[in-house]
Amino acid sequence: MRHNTTIHGAIRLVCSKKNKMKTAFWSVLFFLTFGLMYWQFGILYREYFSYPVNLNLNLNSDRLTFPAVTLCTLNPYRYSAIRKQLDKLDQITHQTLLDLYDYNMSLPQRDWSTSSTQKRSTRSLLHHVQRHPLRRQKRDNLVNLPENSPSVDKNDWKIGFVLCSENNDCFHQAYSSGVDAVREWYSFHYINILAQVPDAKALDESDFENFIYACRFNEATCDKANYTHFHHPLYGNCYTFNDNSSSVWTSSLPGINNGLSLVVRTEQNDFIPLLSTVTGARVMVHDQNEPAFMDDGGFNVRPGIETSISMRKEMTVRLGGSYSDCTEDGSDVPVQNLYSSRYTEQVCIRSCFQLNMVERCGCAYYFYPLPDGAEYCDYTKHTAWGYCYYKLLAEFKADVLGCFHKCRKPCKMTEYQLSAGYSRWPSAVSEDWVFYMLSQQNKYNITSKRNGVAKVNIFFEEWNYKTNGESPAFTVVTLLSQLGNQWSLWFGSSVLSVMELAELVLDFIAITFILAFRWFRTQQKQSPPGPPLNSQDNTAFQHEAPALSAPHRFTVEAVVTTLPSYNSLEPRGLSRDEVFIQAASQSHAPYERSHALSSLSQSCKITL
């Protein structure tokens, strides 16, 4: 090793060969160091194949694209297409609350005269409501006590409604709060009423001017080209500003005067109080080409308050492939995107639930988009869909369906960090002229002025936006550098020393191969030989040999080589007999050779 490599410590193995203790010491130290170095190599390789990343934070200054803003009335509306059925549901709810809580809910005066078709529809509604009644149930620790027991208080009851399958397998969907139970029970029947409307456009009753009193962006007035309208089952009429339907807004300067300013009406007029118990509006800020999930990222705007929302844009760019489990566009996610928007994690999760709903229950949930070939759940067609839905919802929340595992984060996403400030609007000294101007321009005739309007300002807090990026923390160059550091630390060698060691290893392998090959050839030569190649010719010779007489062979050997007269013939060349003997010795046929020897013997006898 000394003559083949310049690695530190190798020379000590040769120089100390006269001292066995030193040789043993340096041998143990050499191989121990060698093992520690490769242990460090293993740690480096494990870190490299774990694909760590570095987080890069960048601050960028540029013209900012203003996000999309969705504003909802926060209360579902009594649409004319389902008004009669909702009135009948209110009557049933009134009687239910009277029976359970002795509460006489006031109902608005309406025209209860209906046609024969509407009467059949209301009778069908009454039948299905009776199949899913709202009732009270004792708590688990009081099940064995009688109802009139003095130990049972009104607070010891749970309220909920009964859901049954097609096989009459029923369970009680209970809630600890009576308010939550009534709202959920009413919402369940309300969804069934909405699903019975054959054309969803019948619910498209936009009343923008009666909800948005003023709209302004960058000191310019908004128009109808700057918003789109959609209906939400629980939040009513919703309007999305700057959603790519027209030219996208850009904000060149931060501040409240360079953003979106809205004055909205918050009075509840002809709404459904059993579905929503709050007053105001709901606002959500989101990126373009992303749906507005109002129940996830939205927040409420209080009436009589000016809400100023400052935004800070933040972009996140993740490394895909081996570095993280993100997806570029969702094409590699095993879930069909049911939304007409780009991929997001929430889009995938809701699509996953809807697809499982169609597969398990045979119909689609009304809150989510409708898959191809499916129809929305309606207990006039799917009698047990409620039982199936709540069972499936429990599995979904427990991730039994695997939706949270299947749906991965996108590699690129944009978020907006929001902070809000509140102040009274209009102030006590200015409310008179503000409400007067609204009444002149927008036919404002609300009796409760303080709870009738609200103002919303949405703007960028600063011109900079933050970008969170990822870069590989351990590249091939870094790995080679770390390996070189470890090699230099333990052996004090360079790349050339590594090549010397590699050459030594290759030489050892080559020598081992050559020695093994030679040993194999030696073993083959020492094995017993096979039968002779000319076995047939030897057999013929053995059959012909007995025909020759013994004196013939004796005469050739004795007479030809020893006669003195033959020596006198050498200077002049070979005699005829010697030529004959040489020709006979070069003959390959045994019979011819024996015949020549026999003739020569007779000639020698005659001469003697």
Side-chain angles (χ1 to χ4, degrees):
M1 180 179 291
R2 173 190 174 187
H3 301 289
N4 290 277
T5 179
T6 58
I7 295 177
H8 290 188
I11 192 174
R12 304 298 301 174
L13 298 177
V14 180
C15 294
S16 62
K17 62 182 178 179
K18 295 182 180 180
N19 191 329
K20 295 183 178 180
M21 291 185 62
K22 286 187 176 182
T23 303
F25 170 75
W26 281 104
S27 298
V28 172
L29 185 60
F30 181 84
F31 288 105
L32 178 62
T33 305
F34 203 77
L36 290 174
M37 183 188 68
Y38 274 94
W39 174 61
Q40 292 292 328
F41 282 2
I43 295 177
L44 292 175
Y45 278 113
R46 183 178 61 184
E47 184 178 359
Y48 174 76
F49 286 106
S50 65
Y51 300 103
V53 296
N54 290 327
L55 182 62
N56 304 321
L57 178 61
N58 298 320
L59 290 178
N60 306 282
S61 298
D62 199 356
R63 290 175 60 90
L64 299 176
T65 301
F66 202 80
V69 178
T70 300
L71 189 71
C72 296
T73 59
L74 199 60
N75 288 286
Y77 187 72
R78 291 182 180 272
Y79 300 100
S80 57
I82 56 175
R83 185 180 299 273
K84 295 299 181 180
Q85 291 175 297
L86 291 179
D87 292 343
K88 182 61 178 179
L89 182 59
D90 288 344
Q91 291 184 24
I92 299 173
T93 306
H94 172 268
Q95 186 62 40
T96 301
L97 295 178
L98 186 64
D99 296 339
L100 291 177
Y101 294 101
D102 296 331
Y103 172 69
N104 188 7
M105 184 181 69
S106 60
L107 294 175
Q109 296 294 328
R110 303 188 186 280
D111 184 14
W112 302 107
S113 60
T114 57
S115 62
S116 58
T117 304
Q118 293 175 340
K119 288 182 179 179
R120 288 194 300 270
S121 178
T122 54
R123 284 196 299 269
S124 176
L125 176 64
L126 178 61
H127 168 72
H128 290 290
V129 171
Q130 291 175 349
R131 289 188 70 251
H132 306 87
L134 186 67
R135 61 178 60 173
R136 291 185 297 179
Q137 185 181 25
K138 296 179 184 178
R139 298 187 182 273
D140 297 337
N141 57 344
L142 302 174
V143 173
N144 297 325
L145 295 178
E147 295 185 5
N148 55 359
S149 173
S151 301
V152 180
D153 189 69
K154 290 183 178 180
N155 296 327
D156 295 328
W157 293 86
K158 293 188 298 183
I159 188 170
F161 52 98
V162 179
L163 297 166
C164 298
S165 66
E166 296 179 354
N167 300 325
N168 292 326
D169 181 17
C170 303
F171 76 96
H172 190 257
Q173 181 69 20
Y175 300 87
S176 58
S177 171
V179 175
D180 295 337
V182 172
R183 288 184 61 225
E184 188 68 21
W185 175 78
Y186 191 94
S187 176
F188 174 72
H189 295 291
Y190 173 71
I191 292 173
N192 282 276
I193 294 175
L194 291 178
Q196 296 173 20
V197 179
D199 187 6
K201 293 183 179 180
L203 304 178
D204 190 5
E205 297 181 5
S206 175
D207 194 9
F208 181 81
E209 291 79 7
N210 200 30
F211 175 58
I212 307 293
Y213 283 162
C215 175
R216 187 185 64 193
F217 179 76
N218 271 350
E219 302 294 340
T221 304
C222 310
D223 53 21
K224 292 184 178 180
N226 299 125
Y227 75 88
T228 56
H229 167 263
F230 68 94
H231 167 259
H232 193 278
L234 294 182
Y235 298 112
N237 286 322
C238 298
Y239 304 90
T240 302
F241 298 87
N242 194 33
D243 65 340
N244 270 344
S245 60
S246 59
S247 60
V248 179
W249 293 339
T250 58
S251 182
S252 57
L253 293 174
I256 193 171
N257 295 324
N258 299 285
L260 178 63
S261 180
L262 299 170
V263 177
V264 298
R265 176 177 179 173
T266 57
E267 184 184 32
Q268 293 181 342
N269 184 20
D270 203 21
F271 289 105
I272 307 175
L274 291 171
L275 284 180
S276 180
T277 57
V278 295
T279 303
R282 192 166 183 87
V283 180
M284 180 180 178
V285 177
H286 55 95
D287 199 22
Q288 280 85 10
N289 295 324
E290 291 184 5
F293 297 120
M294 305 302 295
D295 48 351
D296 287 348
F299 58 93
N300 296 340
V301 175
R302 296 172 55 187
I305 298 296
E306 181 179 6
T307 304
S308 298
I309 304 170
S310 60
M311 303 181 298
R312 285 183 296 176
K313 184 178 179 180
E314 184 173 334
M315 297 181 62
T316 302
V317 181
R318 299 182 179 90
L319 289 176
S322 302
Y323 291 94
S324 67
D325 192 27
C326 67
T327 176
E328 292 291 341
D329 54 2
S331 59
D332 54 345
V333 176
V335 177
Q336 179 187 357
N337 187 357
L338 300 179
Y339 290 81
S340 57
S341 64
R342 68 183 181 186
Y343 176 89
T344 64
E345 192 174 12
Q346 291 299 324
V347 164
C348 177
I349 290 174
R350 282 166 169 76
S351 299
C352 178
F353 177 81
Q354 184 75 306
L355 294 172
N356 280 276
M357 182 77 183
V358 174
E359 181 181 357
R360 293 270 295 272
C361 304
C363 57
Y365 189 50
Y366 190 79
F367 278 59
Y368 303 144
L370 190 66
D372 295 336
E375 58 182 356
Y376 285 120
C377 294
D378 169 19
Y379 48 38
T380 61
K381 300 178 182 178
H382 314 89
T383 57
W385 82 266
Y387 176 89
C388 180
Y389 165 74
Y390 283 101
K391 289 291 187 182
L392 189 67
L393 183 62
E395 296 181 7
F396 170 75
K397 293 180 178 179
D399 200 22
V400 177
L401 304 179
C403 293
F404 299 101
H405 178 72
K406 296 177 184 177
C407 297
R408 309 199 304 268
K409 294 182 179 295
C411 295
K412 297 180 181 180
M413 57 185 302
T414 302
E415 297 176 324
Y416 296 92
Q417 306 297 330
L418 308 179
S419 58
Y422 306 94
S423 61
R424 180 178 176 179
W425 187 87
S427 62
V429 296
S430 62
E431 63 180 6
D432 291 337
W433 75 268
V434 170
F435 288 134
Y436 177 79
M437 296 300 297
L438 290 176
S439 64
Q440 295 296 317
Q441 182 179 357
N442 303 93
K443 299 179 181 180
Y444 182 83
N445 55 1
I446 302 175
T447 55
S448 178
K449 296 181 179 180
R450 177 55 51 193
N451 296 326
V453 292
K455 189 174 182 180
V456 184
N457 301 313
I458 304 174
F459 56 93
F460 279 112
E461 181 180 346
E462 55 186 14
W463 202 10
N464 300 326
Y465 67 94
K466 184 170 64 174
T467 302
N468 299 320
E470 291 180 348
S471 61
F474 220 98
T475 61
V476 176
V477 177
T478 308
L479 176 63
L480 294 177
S481 176
Q482 294 293 332
L483 293 177
N485 292 338
Q486 292 297 325
W487 190 277
S488 299
L489 172 65
W490 296 104
F491 285 98
S493 58
S494 62
V495 176
L496 297 179
S497 300
V498 176
M499 298 303 297
E500 291 174 355
L501 183 61
E503 182 186 17
L504 178 63
V505 173
L506 293 176
D507 290 344
F508 176 77
I509 295 174
I511 293 173
T512 303
F513 176 77
I514 293 172
L515 293 177
F517 180 74
R518 288 182 177 179
W519 177 84
F520 180 74
R521 291 291 302 271
T522 304
Q523 292 297 114
Q524 281 188 337
K525 290 181 179 180
Q526 292 179 357
S527 59
L533 297 176
N534 298 325
S535 57
Q536 296 179 356
D537 296 340
N538 295 335
T539 304
F541 177 78
Q542 291 175 3
H543 288 291
E544 295 291 337
L548 301 175
S549 60
H552 296 170
R553 295 193 296 272
F554 174 77
T555 304
V556 172
E557 297 291 338
V559 176
V560 174
T561 58
T562 58
L563 287 176
S565 60
Y566 281 49
N567 295 330
S568 62
L569 296 176
E570 291 179 0
R572 291 175 294 178
L574 295 175
S575 64
R576 181 181 58 85
D577 298 332
E578 289 177 332
V579 174
F580 191 80
I581 293 172
Q582 184 177 1
S585 62
Q586 294 178 356
S587 176
H588 295 284
Y591 177 77
E592 293 177 357
R593 184 167 58 248
S594 61
H595 180 71
L597 292 174
S598 177
S599 301
L600 180 61
S601 177
Q602 293 178 2
S603 174
C604 291
K605 287 180 180 181
I606 295 172
T607 304
L608 290 175

